[in-house]
Amino acid sequence: MDRAAIVHENFLRRVAAGALPPGNPPAGPLAPEQAVSVFRSGCLSRALDRKSRSMQAAGQGFYTIGSSGHEGLAAVAAALRPTDMAFLHYRDAAFQIQRGEQVPGQSMAWDMLLSFACSSEDPISGGRHKVLGSKALNIPPQTSTIASHLPKAVGAAYAIGAARRHRPEHAEMPDDSIVYCSFGDASANHSTAQGAFNTAGWTAFQSVPLPILFCCEDNGIGISTKTPKGWIAANFRARPDIKYFACDGLDIYDTYATAQAAAAYVRTRRKPAFLHVRTVRLYGHAGADVATSYLPKAEVEADEANDPLLHSVRLLSEAGALDTDQALRIYQETNARVERVGDAAATRPHLRTAAEVMASLIPPKRACKPSNGPTAEARVTAFGGDLKAMEEPQIMSRLINWALTDLMLAHPEIAMMGEDVGRKGGVYGVTQKLQQRFGPDRMIDTLLDEQSILGLAIGMAQNGFVPMPEIQFLAYLHNAEDQLRGEAATLPFFSDGQYSNPMVVRIAGLGYQKGFGGHFHNDNSVAVLRDIPGLILAVPSNGADAAKMLRECVRLAREENRVVVFLEPIALYPMRDLHAAKDGGWMQRYPDPSEVIPLGEVGCEGRGTDLAIVTFGNGTYLSHQALPEIESAGIKARVVDLRWLSPLPRAALDAAVAGCSNILIVDETRRSGGVAEALMAHFHESSEAKLARLTAEDSFIATGPAYAATMPSRDSIARAAIALAGGDA
Ligand SMILES: Cc1ncc(C[n+]2csc(CCOP(=O)(O)OP(=O)(O)O)c2C)c(N)n1
Ligand SMILES: [Mg+2]
């Protein structure tokens, strides 16, 4: 017999015999009818676990991670409000079911069984995954990547306070709500989780409101690795500014009373708390996991003897809320109902085609109040003396600063966050004066943790803000990249487009910095960004384009709910000249705020048909430098600036190179996994032109005189162009 059957038989036998596990008497504020409701939720959660296993065995269900042993979490749900956004551990079916009791019109069993069956009618993921989640219950679905939901939960808690100060048009969370975030005991060790606890404490330590209730469901084990006894309490009992509460998750009365006290603390003090709930894990980790293969049988049996549903039967009976016969009947009726409903759910349709699966990669658009842009007076106040400077050509970093200013004036829901973005105005001065112009609420100097920066952005977006997080250098994105890949980009996908977290991530990056160097400040790989479905990657090559593209990026986030990465080539921030000192050839005037470069529109300069150089970022600048030499070799050329690296603007590229006999791709990212690989493949499929590519070496970048040695240069571009197009030189 498998453990699920053993636990079931134990329950029936022990309840019938009145052989219930001992424990404290029922105590605290849980009212009898509420206690019965919590028990019903536990029974439903258990019955769903059993059914998910039989559905899997019958080929009707797929993923079987369960909640058995964690039914006490229903009592936590009962202590919260359904408007408290909940970022849930995967074992929280009972929590979700109980929350469903607080909102009229829910059909939790049916909904969850559809999710087990991966039916396209599953209301949360549309058949994409077995996930907990519900728009009506304020439960965004979570991926199973351990702890990756904690940074955004902290961000969402911050966003409640931020929205009290500036309420965005699309705000969803009530001012007096709190955020709830649960996870397992092993997950609490993950550096992502630890970073989130630290960020919560760091924020609250400064008396900034951060109403979050963390909940650790401590069953003492993570798959097969035990959590040392006492570790969670020792770790969390005395964290600065995170108040610790502990309860016995096998006792719904104790759990309810403690959760209520913890929630009241968070709600009234607007500070973080940590609720430590002791649970057991029944049935092993997930479907195929056999706990007795790594745990002594006696230990597994000891947990089974502590089945929380058995504890509840005793407590309810002692409280006079329900006698054991009634409890047994509820359990059996629930099982029978789930059997019936599950069989019906198994007949519902599935996703079939790629188009159906992909339908929610890009979230639906949202209606936004029209903005006429800032008034002339508001611009005078914000820009001051800069208005005069707008009449003259300027460097890129200045034009980006002005574009950001105009965007923040036009859209009060924009907030920026990052290391040194506020007071200092960024390492390169790109965000200078923005904190003076818009205040520290909208220009947030964060702590040093990229996961927290992106988590803050995701969480704020879920409360209607348009966040523009900054990652100081591209090389520092990588330790936090999962927040984009595994969290931000997947949220619309797994929620069938019901949740989104629009944002424009600004990242300073790429190579060619003369004075400031090494790989850490000159990272020239964008491979990790280019293959994230739904993510837009933009790279401007000059200041005017940067301003016009930024406006489009913000529009895409604000109106179309998109996740956009705007990669700013650092070496071009201060670039003034193109061919000779003081020629000012790479500076532009600030484009009027109405001017926009739409997504997918590439740049094209020149009309030559002998050669199209297709490039982006620094490559565009260097190709322009190389043009005179190429043309003096008798080659008539054009330079096509890709601008939008992902998704590749295929039709616009084809139009831009139409009629050209040769295409040279100049790519400052690496030969392996670089942008040129995609461009070569594209043109190979779409064009008759002769193709060649010039890329960076498969190397990291060095500091000192060899700072650009591994990348394309003006000279190497000219040589490659002439070699390809066969000039007369
Ligand atoms: C980042 C990451 N690493 C590893 C895993 C694989 N994994 C899934 S669940 C799990 C154990 C989690 O244990 P715990 O947090 O105690 O939760 P429990 O399953 O005991 O409720 C692991 C290692 C994962 N999902 N994500
Ligand atoms: Mg655990």
Side-chain angles (χ1 to χ4, degrees):
M1 237 193 322
D2 74 8
R3 303 315 302 183
I6 291 170
V7 171
H8 176 63
E9 296 299 328
N10 276 349
F11 182 86
L12 298 179
R13 186 176 40 77
R14 291 184 63 179
V15 174
L20 300 169
N24 290 334
L30 186 63
E33 56 297 353
Q34 238 182 336
V36 173
S37 167
V38 165
F39 175 66
R40 283 184 179 278
S41 296
C43 287
L44 177 52
S45 170
R46 180 67 59 85
L48 287 167
D49 274 5
R50 297 185 61 232
K51 186 64 181 166
S52 80
R53 290 175 170 239
S54 63
M55 284 172 75
Q56 187 186 42
Q60 300 168 332
F62 305 90
Y63 184 49
T64 60
I65 195 135
S67 304
S68 295
H70 291 235
E71 288 83 358
L73 272 295
V76 178
L80 297 173
R81 299 177 186 167
T83 45
D84 295 333
M85 192 168 271
F87 298 85
L88 295 184
H89 186 40
Y90 47 72
R91 295 205 195 280
D92 281 346
F95 180 104
Q96 177 162 320
I97 292 163
Q98 184 62 34
R99 179 165 276 200
E101 293 299 308
Q102 300 170 329
V103 177
Q106 302 304 306
S107 50
M108 269 355 298
W110 176 240
D111 294 356
M112 288 194 186
L113 285 159
L114 286 172
S115 140
F116 296 178
C118 287
S119 167
S120 49
E121 294 173 0
D122 155 28
I124 188 58
S125 81
R128 290 177 183 83
H129 198 22
K130 173 195 179 288
V131 276
L132 296 174
S134 162
K135 184 73 182 170
L137 304 182
N138 290 299
I139 302 176
Q142 305 307 325
T143 67
S144 303
T145 309
I146 290 298
S148 61
H149 59 304
L150 272 72
K152 67 180 173 184
V154 172
Y158 181 90
I160 296 172
R164 277 186 172 190
R165 301 188 290 273
H166 309 274
R167 191 148 184 93
E169 181 187 354
H170 297 283
E172 294 203 356
M173 303 179 193
D175 280 352
D176 60 353
S177 65
I178 68 174
V179 164
Y180 175 76
C181 175
S182 54
F183 44 86
D185 49 299
S187 305
N189 297 302
H190 201 282
S191 62
T192 308
Q194 291 287 327
F197 302 134
N198 185 64
T199 300
W202 184 87
T203 309
F205 189 69
Q206 302 170 72
S207 300
V208 175
L210 203 83
I212 185 165
L213 178 58
F214 293 112
C215 176
C216 180
E217 300 175 27
D218 185 359
N219 56 25
I221 199 162
I223 305 186
S224 68
T225 304
K226 285 198 178 185
T227 293
K229 271 208 166 36
W231 172 243
I232 296 293
N235 203 332
F236 294 96
R237 207 165 26 214
R239 288 240 173 179
D241 275 277
I242 302 181
K243 192 167 167 64
Y244 176 79
F245 295 82
C247 64
D248 178 2
L250 307 180
D251 178 338
I252 56 176
Y253 286 83
D254 182 36
T255 301
Y256 180 78
T258 313
Q260 205 185 45
Y265 171 84
V266 175
R267 203 177 305 280
T268 54
R269 305 282 291 273
R270 316 304 293 167
K271 276 187 175 293
F274 187 97
L275 177 62
H276 180 187
V277 182
R278 186 171 73 83
T279 64
V280 291
R281 188 190 72 182
L282 306 176
Y283 303 5
H285 177 67
D289 177 62
V290 180
T292 45
S293 66
Y294 49 80
L295 284 180
K297 199 166 167 214
E299 273 188 40
V300 174
E301 287 174 346
D303 276 349
E304 289 169 354
N306 260 323
D307 180 344
L309 291 185
L310 287 171
H311 279 277
S312 290
V313 173
R314 175 185 61 76
L315 287 159
L316 288 163
S317 160
E318 287 176 13
L322 203 65
D323 64 36
T324 49
D325 286 350
Q326 290 169 313
L328 194 55
R329 210 170 317 122
I330 289 175
Y331 178 87
Q332 283 175 318
E333 281 170 9
T334 308
N335 273 287
R337 178 162 63 95
V338 165
E339 270 302 310
R340 280 195 315 274
V341 177
D343 291 345
T347 67
R348 303 313 300 158
H350 299 110
L351 296 172
R352 301 241 168 254
T353 64
E356 285 171 7
V357 171
M358 292 165 71
S360 62
L361 277 175
I362 294 174
K365 298 177 188 177
R366 63 182 171 190
C368 292
K369 283 196 197 117
S371 161
N372 293 331
T375 61
E377 302 81 74
R379 292 190 85 226
V380 169
T381 313
F383 283 112
D386 284 1
L387 279 178
K388 186 101 196 78
M390 280 182 195
E391 289 159 22
E392 300 299 322
Q394 301 288 350
I395 55 173
M396 181 196 267
S397 56
R398 206 136 191 233
L399 296 187
I400 294 178
N401 176 276
W402 291 344
L404 292 173
T405 304
D406 267 324
L407 286 163
M408 290 187 86
L409 282 171
H411 306 300
E413 65 274 30
I414 292 180
M416 296 193 201
M417 59 283 296
E419 294 151 21
D420 310 305
V421 295
R423 272 169 170 251
K424 181 177 163 79
V427 174
Y428 296 94
V430 175
T431 53
Q432 256 170 18
K433 298 191 202 161
L434 294 183
Q435 199 180 64
Q436 283 129 275
R437 290 172 184 159
F438 300 105
D441 275 352
R442 297 183 63 197
M443 287 303 300
I444 305 166
D445 274 322
T446 65
L447 81 180
L448 202 169
D449 180 27
E450 285 73 18
Q451 297 203 83
S452 290
I453 294 168
L454 295 178
L456 176 59
I458 300 174
M460 288 189 78
Q462 285 189 245
N463 202 23
F465 288 92
V466 175
M468 297 187 73
E470 181 189 281
I471 300 295
Q472 202 158 61
F473 287 97
L474 180 55
Y476 308 152
L477 169 70
H478 302 299
N479 69 64
E481 189 241 338
D482 182 53
Q483 288 297 308
L484 288 182
R485 175 181 294 268
E487 291 297 328
T490 65
L491 186 63
F493 182 70
F494 285 122
S495 67
D496 207 20
Q498 297 170 85
Y499 282 101
S500 59
N501 33 215
M503 65 175 81
V504 180
V505 189
R506 293 181 40 256
I507 309 178
L510 301 173
Y512 296 104
Q513 288 184 86
K514 278 194 188 117
F516 193 50
H519 164 69
F520 314 107
H521 304 112
N522 294 268
D523 186 350
N524 64 332
S525 172
V526 295
V528 292
L529 292 167
R530 279 183 41 240
D531 77 340
I532 300 179
L535 183 140
I536 295 168
L537 175 59
V539 182
S541 66
N542 64 72
D545 279 12
K548 292 188 256 184
M549 289 167 72
L550 257 178
R551 294 166 187 159
E552 171 72 346
C553 292
V554 167
R555 190 197 66 74
L556 287 162
R558 183 171 168 267
E559 297 179 14
E560 300 195 14
N561 282 314
R562 302 296 297 270
V563 176
V564 186
V565 173
F566 191 75
L567 181 59
E568 299 169 6
I570 300 170
L572 297 177
Y573 277 151
M575 196 58 80
R576 296 174 165 271
D577 305 326
L578 179 59
H579 297 297
K582 297 215 182 340
D583 71 4
W586 212 250
M587 294 199 292
Q588 284 97 17
R589 280 203 186 80
Y590 181 59
D592 185 84
S594 62
E595 289 182 51
V596 169
I597 293 177
L599 173 65
E601 185 182 288
V602 302
C604 188
E605 280 208 37
R607 294 168 159 217
T609 51
D610 297 335
L611 173 71
I613 301 180
V614 178
T615 182
F616 62 92
N618 293 288
T620 302
Y621 174 73
L622 294 169
S623 299
H624 276 275
Q625 281 191 326
L627 263 189
E629 187 178 336
I630 295 169
E631 298 208 318
S632 69
I635 299 168
K636 298 208 166 31
R638 62 181 68 182
V639 176
V640 177
D641 187 7
L642 182 56
R643 291 177 178 151
W644 308 97
L645 272 56
S646 186
L648 220 50
R650 295 175 189 278
L653 277 174
D654 291 344
V657 302
C660 293
S661 14
N662 296 285
I663 299 173
L664 174 66
I665 294 158
V666 173
D667 174 13
E668 63 190 286
T669 67
R670 296 178 196 140
R671 193 165 182 81
S672 302
V675 182
E677 286 183 350
L679 290 170
M680 284 297 273
H682 170 72
F683 288 123
H684 180 73
E685 288 163 357
S686 71
S687 164
E688 295 298 314
K690 213 163 108 193
L691 304 176
R693 62 175 168 150
L694 181 66
T695 70
E697 301 290 343
D698 284 332
S699 171
F700 301 109
I701 286 172
T703 309
Y707 74 95
T710 54
M711 289 178 293
S713 65
R714 178 202 161 287
D715 292 348
S716 65
I717 293 170
R719 274 199 306 277
I722 292 165
L724 173 68
D728 47 33

